[in-house]
Amino acid sequence: NQFCPAAIQTEALITLAGLTQTSLPAFPFDAPPTLNILYKLDSVFAALCTGTHPLTGAVLPGAQLGHSLVTETQKVRIRSLAERTRYEVFSCLEKSKDGVNAGTVNTGGYGYGDDEDEDSGDEVEPWMLEATRVYEKSLMLLAEQDPEVDAGMDEFNCL
């Protein structure tokens, strides 16, 4: 049994990300700082999943090239957390559509032939696009690393 500080760090980061996700509806939604925190968590989880630094590609301390620093159980937890957080971000954006920090959110249309309202959605549309990128790296990596998890989630969602 070798002590692995990355395991403790990973558990702490999963806990922190979970607290962030559950706290989202409790406060007025402010897109820039909220999305910034979520992007940083995404980068950290992606780095732990690959064992490499997301920008430089350097192998992380304690990692071996091509090996993850997270267990399969942690991968499932990260994926579930990422999916729940994405849902919560969109819910918060929808709830704050009349709020000052998020601007006016127009979620009724999907941009199909809605030329008259183009100017009204310009303030928030970038936030909606940014929200689609919440945990994007982590979810892509986890789907690539374990396609069975993806198939299992689809089966679970059909029940």
Side-chain angles (χ1 to χ4, degrees):
N1 284 336
Q2 184 180 1
F3 174 71
C4 182
I8 294 171
Q9 291 172 350
T10 302
E11 288 300 320
L13 288 165
I14 290 172
T15 301
L16 179 62
L19 289 170
T20 303
Q21 182 261 320
T22 57
S23 298
L24 285 173
F27 299 98
F29 190 74
D30 192 3
T34 303
L35 295 176
N36 189 28
I37 290 169
L38 295 174
Y39 294 155
K40 289 179 188 227
L41 286 169
D42 183 32
S43 291
V44 169
F45 287 137
L48 291 170
C49 287
T50 61
T52 58
H53 189 281
L55 299 177
T56 65
V59 177
L60 297 176
Q64 297 176 0
L65 188 60
H67 289 96
S68 175
L69 289 172
V70 295
T71 65
E72 293 302 313
T73 300
Q74 289 170 331
K75 287 179 182 180
V76 171
R77 290 176 61 204
I78 291 167
R79 182 181 178 135
S80 174
L81 180 63
E83 290 171 348
R84 287 191 326 261
T85 303
R86 274 186 165 198
Y87 173 80
E88 199 65 57
V89 166
F90 280 105
S91 294
C92 289
L93 276 170
E94 175 64 29
K95 288 176 187 174
S96 68
K97 67 180 167 182
D98 294 326
V100 176
N101 292 333
T104 305
V105 178
N106 182 6
T107 57
Y110 296 99
Y112 300 110
D114 198 11
D115 295 340
E116 296 173 358
D117 294 332
E118 280 183 12
D119 293 335
S120 65
D122 285 344
E123 294 175 25
V124 171
E125 192 170 309
W127 296 126
M128 293 300 280
L129 292 173
E130 290 297 318
T132 64
R133 295 183 183 106
V134 169
Y135 285 112
E136 180 178 46
K137 294 176 199 170
S138 300
L139 289 170
M140 294 295 285
L141 283 169
L142 293 171
E144 289 173 5
Q145 289 180 1
D146 192 2
E148 290 180 16
V149 171
D150 195 30
M153 291 300 286
D154 290 341
E155 181 178 314
F156 178 73
N157 289 334
C158 291
L159 296 178

